[in-house]
Amino acid sequence: MTPDLIGRAAALLDAYRQRGLKIATAESCTGGLVTALLTEISGSSAVVERGFVTYSNEAKTELISVPADLIVTHGAVSEPVARAMAEGALAHSRADVAVAITGVAGPTGGTATKPVGLVHFGLARKGAPTAHLEHRYGDLGRENVRRRAVEDALSLLEQAIG
């Protein structure tokens, strides 16, 4: 992890800690990178409640209750699934805020309608509507798509507390 990302993560954790808030993650294409970044910081256990790596469709359904028919209808990389992942992570944790990431990191797996670099994010907060963000990074290479997704997940978590 780069020093700038670690600095952002540390500031984010401090802000959440000061407000008494906890975070959960539900990660697919990032495979736990957001949680790994947050837990690089000593004392992160006061804020990071849990992380779900829901790489497979079955994991999304079994661990965080994403309806299987939602995945069949819209595909795993979609706005409805990203929203359901965030809501499921919130419901299956003791967190106050949950961020979810699902996308096509590449280099394979892209289609005409869901190209490599497409990533959907969900952000669920207790007592607030679930937010969605879509990014089409392009075919930047797997590592870069995943890094950009981590950066944008941090941005969503930052925005969630103002």
Side-chain angles (χ1 to χ4, degrees), residues 5 8 12 16 34 99 121 123 133 135 148-162:
L5 276 179
R8 278 183 68 194
L12 176 76
Y16 273 74
V34 174
V99 66
F121 301 83
L123 183 80
L133 177 68
H135 272 291
R148 295 277 302 273
V150 168
E151 292 170 0
D152 286 327
L154 279 184
S155 294
L156 281 173
L157 289 168
E158 290 163 347
Q159 292 167 18
I161 57 167

Short mmCIF file of all heavy atoms in Angstrom, two decimals, residues 5 8 12 16 34 99 121 123 133 135 148-162:
data_model
loop_
_atom_site.label_atom_id
_atom_site.label_comp_id
_atom_site.label_asym_id
_atom_site.label_seq_id
_atom_site.Cartn_x
_atom_site.Cartn_y
_atom_site.Cartn_z
N LEU A 5 -2.13 6.37 0.49
CA LEU A 5 -3.33 5.61 0.84
C LEU A 5 -3.35 5.26 2.33
O LEU A 5 -4.40 5.31 2.97
CB LEU A 5 -3.43 4.32 0.01
CG LEU A 5 -4.03 4.46 -1.38
CD1 LEU A 5 -4.04 3.11 -2.09
CD2 LEU A 5 -5.43 5.03 -1.32
N ARG A 8 -4.44 8.36 4.15
CA ARG A 8 -5.89 8.56 4.02
C ARG A 8 -6.65 7.59 4.91
O ARG A 8 -7.63 7.96 5.57
CB ARG A 8 -6.34 8.36 2.57
CG ARG A 8 -6.13 9.57 1.70
CD ARG A 8 -6.66 9.33 0.30
NE ARG A 8 -8.11 9.21 0.27
CZ ARG A 8 -8.79 8.74 -0.77
NH1 ARG A 8 -8.17 8.35 -1.87
NH2 ARG A 8 -10.10 8.67 -0.73
N LEU A 12 -9.15 8.49 7.95
CA LEU A 12 -10.52 7.96 7.92
C LEU A 12 -10.84 7.23 9.22
O LEU A 12 -11.89 7.45 9.83
CB LEU A 12 -10.68 7.02 6.72
CG LEU A 12 -12.02 6.31 6.61
CD1 LEU A 12 -13.07 7.28 6.10
CD2 LEU A 12 -11.92 5.12 5.69
N TYR A 16 -13.78 8.11 12.00
CA TYR A 16 -14.80 7.15 12.43
C TYR A 16 -14.70 6.89 13.93
O TYR A 16 -15.71 6.82 14.63
CB TYR A 16 -14.68 5.85 11.63
CG TYR A 16 -15.46 5.87 10.33
CD1 TYR A 16 -15.01 6.59 9.24
CD2 TYR A 16 -16.65 5.19 10.20
CE1 TYR A 16 -15.71 6.63 8.04
CE2 TYR A 16 -17.38 5.21 9.01
CZ TYR A 16 -16.89 5.94 7.95
OH TYR A 16 -17.62 5.97 6.78
N VAL A 34 -9.49 -3.37 0.47
CA VAL A 34 -9.93 -2.24 1.29
C VAL A 34 -9.74 -2.59 2.76
O VAL A 34 -9.17 -1.80 3.54
CB VAL A 34 -11.40 -1.85 0.99
CG1 VAL A 34 -11.89 -0.79 1.96
CG2 VAL A 34 -11.54 -1.38 -0.44
N VAL A 99 -19.31 -0.57 2.91
CA VAL A 99 -19.00 -0.28 1.52
C VAL A 99 -18.87 -1.60 0.78
O VAL A 99 -18.37 -2.59 1.34
CB VAL A 99 -17.71 0.57 1.39
CG1 VAL A 99 -16.47 -0.18 1.84
CG2 VAL A 99 -17.55 1.10 -0.02
N PHE A 121 -20.05 0.35 -6.91
CA PHE A 121 -19.88 0.48 -5.47
C PHE A 121 -21.24 0.70 -4.82
O PHE A 121 -22.10 1.37 -5.40
CB PHE A 121 -19.03 1.71 -5.13
CG PHE A 121 -17.65 1.70 -5.73
CD1 PHE A 121 -17.46 2.13 -7.04
CD2 PHE A 121 -16.56 1.28 -5.00
CE1 PHE A 121 -16.20 2.14 -7.60
CE2 PHE A 121 -15.29 1.28 -5.56
CZ PHE A 121 -15.11 1.71 -6.86
N LEU A 123 -22.84 1.86 -0.88
CA LEU A 123 -22.53 2.38 0.45
C LEU A 123 -23.82 2.40 1.25
O LEU A 123 -24.76 3.13 0.89
CB LEU A 123 -21.93 3.78 0.38
CG LEU A 123 -21.53 4.30 1.76
CD1 LEU A 123 -20.18 3.72 2.18
CD2 LEU A 123 -21.49 5.81 1.77
N LEU A 133 -22.30 4.11 -6.74
CA LEU A 133 -21.33 4.81 -7.58
C LEU A 133 -20.86 3.83 -8.64
O LEU A 133 -20.62 2.65 -8.35
CB LEU A 133 -20.13 5.26 -6.73
CG LEU A 133 -18.98 5.95 -7.44
CD1 LEU A 133 -19.41 7.31 -7.97
CD2 LEU A 133 -17.81 6.11 -6.47
N HIS A 135 -18.01 3.37 -11.78
CA HIS A 135 -16.82 3.89 -12.48
C HIS A 135 -16.47 2.97 -13.64
O HIS A 135 -16.53 1.75 -13.50
CB HIS A 135 -15.62 4.00 -11.54
CG HIS A 135 -15.56 5.30 -10.82
ND1 HIS A 135 -15.30 6.50 -11.42
CD2 HIS A 135 -15.77 5.58 -9.52
CE1 HIS A 135 -15.33 7.46 -10.53
NE2 HIS A 135 -15.62 6.93 -9.37
N ARG A 148 -7.53 1.67 -8.10
CA ARG A 148 -8.48 2.78 -8.25
C ARG A 148 -9.78 2.49 -7.49
O ARG A 148 -10.37 3.40 -6.89
CB ARG A 148 -8.78 3.03 -9.73
CG ARG A 148 -7.60 3.49 -10.57
CD ARG A 148 -7.32 4.97 -10.50
NE ARG A 148 -8.42 5.81 -10.89
CZ ARG A 148 -8.69 6.19 -12.14
NH1 ARG A 148 -7.93 5.80 -13.14
NH2 ARG A 148 -9.72 6.97 -12.39
N ALA A 149 -10.21 1.24 -7.51
CA ALA A 149 -11.43 0.87 -6.77
C ALA A 149 -11.23 1.06 -5.27
O ALA A 149 -12.14 1.53 -4.58
CB ALA A 149 -11.82 -0.57 -7.10
N VAL A 150 -10.07 0.72 -4.76
CA VAL A 150 -9.77 0.93 -3.34
C VAL A 150 -9.83 2.42 -3.02
O VAL A 150 -10.43 2.85 -2.03
CB VAL A 150 -8.40 0.33 -2.95
CG1 VAL A 150 -7.97 0.79 -1.57
CG2 VAL A 150 -8.45 -1.19 -3.02
N GLU A 151 -9.23 3.24 -3.86
CA GLU A 151 -9.24 4.70 -3.66
C GLU A 151 -10.66 5.23 -3.63
O GLU A 151 -11.00 6.07 -2.78
CB GLU A 151 -8.44 5.39 -4.76
CG GLU A 151 -6.95 5.12 -4.71
CD GLU A 151 -6.21 5.61 -5.95
OE1 GLU A 151 -6.85 6.16 -6.88
OE2 GLU A 151 -4.98 5.44 -5.98
N ASP A 152 -11.49 4.76 -4.55
CA ASP A 152 -12.86 5.26 -4.60
C ASP A 152 -13.71 4.72 -3.44
O ASP A 152 -14.62 5.42 -2.97
CB ASP A 152 -13.49 4.94 -5.95
CG ASP A 152 -12.93 5.84 -7.04
OD1 ASP A 152 -12.59 7.00 -6.75
OD2 ASP A 152 -12.81 5.38 -8.19
N ALA A 153 -13.43 3.53 -2.97
CA ALA A 153 -14.11 3.01 -1.79
C ALA A 153 -13.77 3.88 -0.58
O ALA A 153 -14.65 4.22 0.24
CB ALA A 153 -13.74 1.56 -1.54
N LEU A 154 -12.50 4.27 -0.45
CA LEU A 154 -12.11 5.18 0.63
C LEU A 154 -12.86 6.51 0.52
O LEU A 154 -13.32 7.06 1.52
CB LEU A 154 -10.61 5.46 0.59
CG LEU A 154 -9.67 4.44 1.20
CD1 LEU A 154 -8.24 4.95 1.16
CD2 LEU A 154 -10.06 4.07 2.61
N SER A 155 -12.97 7.02 -0.70
CA SER A 155 -13.70 8.28 -0.90
C SER A 155 -15.15 8.17 -0.44
O SER A 155 -15.68 9.09 0.20
CB SER A 155 -13.65 8.70 -2.38
OG SER A 155 -12.34 9.02 -2.76
N LEU A 156 -15.79 7.06 -0.77
CA LEU A 156 -17.18 6.86 -0.32
C LEU A 156 -17.26 6.83 1.20
O LEU A 156 -18.16 7.43 1.79
CB LEU A 156 -17.74 5.56 -0.90
CG LEU A 156 -18.19 5.61 -2.35
CD1 LEU A 156 -18.55 4.22 -2.84
CD2 LEU A 156 -19.38 6.55 -2.50
N LEU A 157 -16.32 6.12 1.82
CA LEU A 157 -16.32 6.06 3.29
C LEU A 157 -16.06 7.44 3.89
O LEU A 157 -16.64 7.77 4.93
CB LEU A 157 -15.29 5.03 3.77
CG LEU A 157 -15.65 3.58 3.51
CD1 LEU A 157 -14.45 2.67 3.76
CD2 LEU A 157 -16.85 3.16 4.37
N GLU A 158 -15.21 8.22 3.25
CA GLU A 158 -14.95 9.59 3.73
C GLU A 158 -16.21 10.45 3.62
O GLU A 158 -16.57 11.17 4.54
CB GLU A 158 -13.81 10.22 2.92
CG GLU A 158 -12.46 9.61 3.22
CD GLU A 158 -11.39 9.92 2.16
OE1 GLU A 158 -11.73 10.42 1.06
OE2 GLU A 158 -10.21 9.64 2.44
N GLN A 159 -16.89 10.33 2.47
CA GLN A 159 -18.11 11.12 2.25
C GLN A 159 -19.24 10.72 3.21
O GLN A 159 -20.07 11.55 3.57
CB GLN A 159 -18.59 10.95 0.82
CG GLN A 159 -17.66 11.57 -0.21
CD GLN A 159 -17.98 11.14 -1.63
OE1 GLN A 159 -19.06 10.64 -1.90
NE2 GLN A 159 -17.02 11.31 -2.53
N ALA A 160 -19.23 9.47 3.64
CA ALA A 160 -20.30 8.97 4.50
C ALA A 160 -20.33 9.67 5.86
O ALA A 160 -21.38 9.71 6.51
CB ALA A 160 -20.18 7.46 4.69
N ILE A 161 -19.20 10.22 6.26
CA ILE A 161 -19.19 10.90 7.57
C ILE A 161 -19.06 12.41 7.43
O ILE A 161 -18.96 13.12 8.42
CB ILE A 161 -18.07 10.35 8.48
CG1 ILE A 161 -16.71 10.47 7.83
CG2 ILE A 161 -18.38 8.94 8.90
CD1 ILE A 161 -15.57 10.25 8.78
N GLY A 162 -19.06 12.89 6.19
CA GLY A 162 -19.02 14.33 5.96
C GLY A 162 -17.67 14.87 5.98
O GLY A 162 -16.92 15.45 6.40
#
